[in-house]
Amino acid sequence: MLARMQFAFTVSFHIIFPAFSIGLASYLAVLEALWLWKKDEVYLELFNFWKTIFAVAFGMGVVSGIVMSYQFGTNWSVFSDKAGPIIGPLMGYEVLTAFFLEAGFLGVMLFGLNRVGPRLHFLATAMVAIGTLISATWILSANSWMQTPAGFAVNEAGQFIPVDWWAIIFNPSFPYRLVHMVLAAYLTTALVVGACGAWHLLRKTAPRRARTMFSMAMWMAAIVAPIQIFAGDQHGLNTLEHQPAKVMAMEGHFESHPDGAPLVLFGIPNSAEKRVDYAIEVPKLGSLILKHHLDAPLAGLDTIPEELHPPVAVIFWSFRVMVGIGLAMLGIGLWSLWCRYRGTLDSDPWLHRAAVLMGPAGFVAVLAGWITTEVGRQPYTVYGHLLTANSVAPIEAPAVSASLLAFIIVYFFVFGAGTFYILRLMARLPRDTMPELDEGPIRTAGVAPGPASPKSHGAHHGL
């Protein structure tokens, strides 16, 4: 349990930074493309503003990821021994392709605009954005294989060895998980950018830049949120097929429903009594959503041995947090479309206040979704084949608890300071430039300075 807590703590800190940097890298590429296309300096100004924030977030993501990966060899050495022949190459390719691509072009993107020229600089920005997507691809492929293992055999030593790499990489849940995660990263970034723009619109510090970033963020929320809801539904259907116990826990279905299952909106899961107390539910709607038929039968946790049940309460609530925030994203996207139609997108203070409040919501949704996925896989590390209890290293509890305490103290100090610094950077959006002031002092029309006459010169010195 301590080893699981440590990994959960470190991965929770880590995932928020890649979720932000994946979306922000693509946003930077879009900003630079718009600058090259439209020749509007506001896009370059926003690019320079957000690239600094990206650099800080990228650095914290790298550091937290390295620390997290070491736990495979410390707390989870048995898992590494058994699953290493498959997980190792996938993570190695993430470093060799994605991370090297990002790191190779990152310096050019951050410092090279005046050295390599606009077009080559845009190529570097695009390569960084592509690198973040490739990184997500490899990591999610490895994680998806642990959820829906395929293309492997087990040797005499009990190790998972590759048989078909195409089946391993493109395992049954990988396409759904990749789309769901990348869209989540884009929505997370859109909400942060929108919150920053809304904050400056409320303060009227840089209306021109704030209007541009807020408008772009609201377009992303309005377009991507419905797509994400659809992608999440498809991912849920795939999970029902390959990991039915996870969906049973998400839905709070302790018992089977042969004539149509209800949709439990809220309640308190009671694992001891195998029921959801104080349940608020809609009859047969669960079957309609999961099987697209009101009377379709749905199996419950009563069909699975109790020792293989995942922790129902955690998954039940984390899933509802994720879905609730997803609906809130859809709501603010539709609200922005209505304000855009009315011409009040830049002037509606209530929309701006709501956007500021929604700023961190994407991170909460990502964490809630990750908890649903990972806790829902329990009690397995490799679903259906390797129990978590059989994956942990033979280490003593005091050693794990001491390192966990050290992680908590160091992480909150280091990453708390980094997050505070990012918020300070967001609050310092430079004011809009005013060319008529930059070109020199303003002259009153029709009045030109001339040489002072001797009389006036003498009078000046006399004063």
Side-chain angles (χ1 to χ4, degrees):
M1 182 58 69
L2 285 170
R4 287 178 60 196
M5 289 172 61
Q6 185 176 114
F7 198 86
F9 177 80
T10 52
V11 77
S12 296
F13 263 88
H14 171 67
I15 195 174
I16 62 177
F17 297 113
F20 185 39
S21 60
I22 289 170
L24 194 54
S26 295
Y27 181 56
L28 288 172
V30 171
L31 284 173
E32 190 166 9
L34 288 172
W35 171 61
L36 292 172
W37 177 33
K38 295 188 175 183
K39 309 300 182 184
D40 188 343
E41 291 298 314
V42 71
Y43 296 113
L44 181 60
E45 293 162 357
L46 288 176
F47 174 87
N48 290 325
F49 174 73
W50 284 106
K51 77 175 183 183
T52 306
I53 297 170
F54 172 82
V56 178
F58 182 83
M60 291 194 289
V62 170
V63 172
S64 59
I66 292 173
V67 173
M68 183 186 68
S69 64
Y70 273 111
Q71 293 173 70
F72 287 117
T74 55
N75 297 351
W76 302 101
S77 59
V78 177
F79 167 80
S80 297
D81 174 60
K82 293 184 179 299
I86 289 177
I87 299 297
L90 295 177
M91 297 184 68
Y93 274 116
E94 188 267 338
V95 175
L96 288 173
T97 59
F99 184 72
F100 282 5
L101 184 65
E102 295 172 76
F105 285 97
L106 182 64
V108 179
M109 187 190 82
L110 295 178
F111 309 110
L113 179 58
N114 296 325
R115 293 175 172 84
V116 301
R119 296 186 184 278
L120 189 55
H121 185 268
F122 173 66
L123 175 64
T125 305
M127 289 299 102
V128 172
I130 293 171
T132 60
L133 294 174
I134 296 175
S135 177
T137 299
W138 286 114
I139 294 300
L140 285 167
S141 177
N143 180 265
S144 298
W145 181 86
M146 295 164 63
Q147 304 278 348
T148 52
F152 70 95
V154 180
N155 64 12
E156 297 82 2
Q159 294 177 311
F160 299 94
I161 58 173
V163 174
D164 183 352
W165 275 110
W166 285 106
I168 291 170
I169 296 171
F170 300 99
N171 56 81
S173 67
F174 166 67
Y176 301 92
R177 203 178 304 276
L178 177 64
V179 171
H180 197 50
M181 183 62 208
V182 171
L183 292 179
Y186 285 165
L187 282 170
T188 298
T189 304
L191 291 179
V192 173
V193 173
C196 183
W199 171 262
H200 289 286
L201 284 173
L202 289 169
R203 298 181 66 190
K204 298 180 172 58
T205 49
R208 182 162 160 262
R209 303 179 195 186
R211 281 197 306 268
T212 301
M213 74 168 78
F214 184 69
S215 176
M216 295 176 72
M218 289 301 101
W219 273 125
M220 178 63 73
I223 294 171
V224 177
I227 301 174
Q228 176 70 310
I229 291 173
F230 174 76
D233 175 68
Q234 296 301 305
H235 185 23
L237 297 178
N238 176 265
T239 304
L240 178 64
E241 179 182 356
H242 297 281
Q243 295 176 298
K246 183 187 294 188
V247 176
M248 295 170 189
M250 287 159 48
E251 300 294 336
H253 291 163
F254 286 99
E255 297 180 352
S256 299
H257 296 85
D259 300 320
L263 175 66
V264 181
L265 300 177
F266 298 104
I268 302 176
N270 186 339
S271 296
E273 300 294 332
K274 303 292 185 292
R275 66 171 185 261
V276 178
D277 296 332
Y278 312 108
I280 301 174
E281 56 187 38
V282 181
K284 297 184 181 289
L285 187 56
S287 289
L288 181 64
I289 293 173
L290 292 171
K291 292 292 186 71
H292 300 158
H293 194 284
L294 287 171
D295 297 320
L298 278 178
L301 289 169
D302 55 356
T303 62
I304 298 173
E306 188 171 353
E307 63 271 15
L308 299 181
H309 288 189
V312 177
V314 176
I315 307 165
F316 182 87
W317 282 112
S318 63
F319 176 69
R320 275 149 187 78
V321 169
M322 179 186 67
V323 172
I325 293 177
L327 293 175
M329 293 177 184
L330 176 64
I332 198 168
L334 295 176
W335 188 358
S336 72
L337 289 178
W338 173 246
C339 290
R340 198 183 297 272
Y341 172 74
R342 296 179 59 199
T344 59
L345 182 68
D346 304 327
S347 59
D348 188 336
W350 288 107
L351 174 63
H352 300 159
R353 294 186 185 104
V356 171
L357 291 176
M358 286 289 291
F363 298 110
V364 178
V366 166
L367 287 173
W370 201 250
I371 290 170
T372 303
T373 294
E374 300 307 307
V375 178
R377 185 182 60 201
Q378 298 303 319
Y380 296 103
T381 48
V382 180
Y383 192 79
H385 296 276
L386 181 61
L387 291 170
T388 306
N390 297 333
S391 304
V392 70
I395 53 178
E396 299 295 329
V400 184
S401 59
S403 58
L404 174 58
L405 181 62
F407 275 133
I408 292 173
I409 295 172
V410 173
Y411 268 49
F412 273 107
F413 177 75
V414 174
F415 295 111
T419 303
F420 177 75
Y421 180 58
I422 288 177
L423 292 175
R424 288 285 300 272
L425 289 174
M426 290 181 184
R428 293 178 177 177
L429 181 65
R431 292 183 178 274
D432 292 339
T433 56
M434 298 179 66
E436 66 273 14
L437 295 181
D438 294 343
E439 292 171 359
I442 296 176
R443 309 283 187 196
T444 304
V447 178
S453 64
K455 182 178 181 181
S456 65
H457 184 73
H460 173 73
H461 284 282
L463 289 175

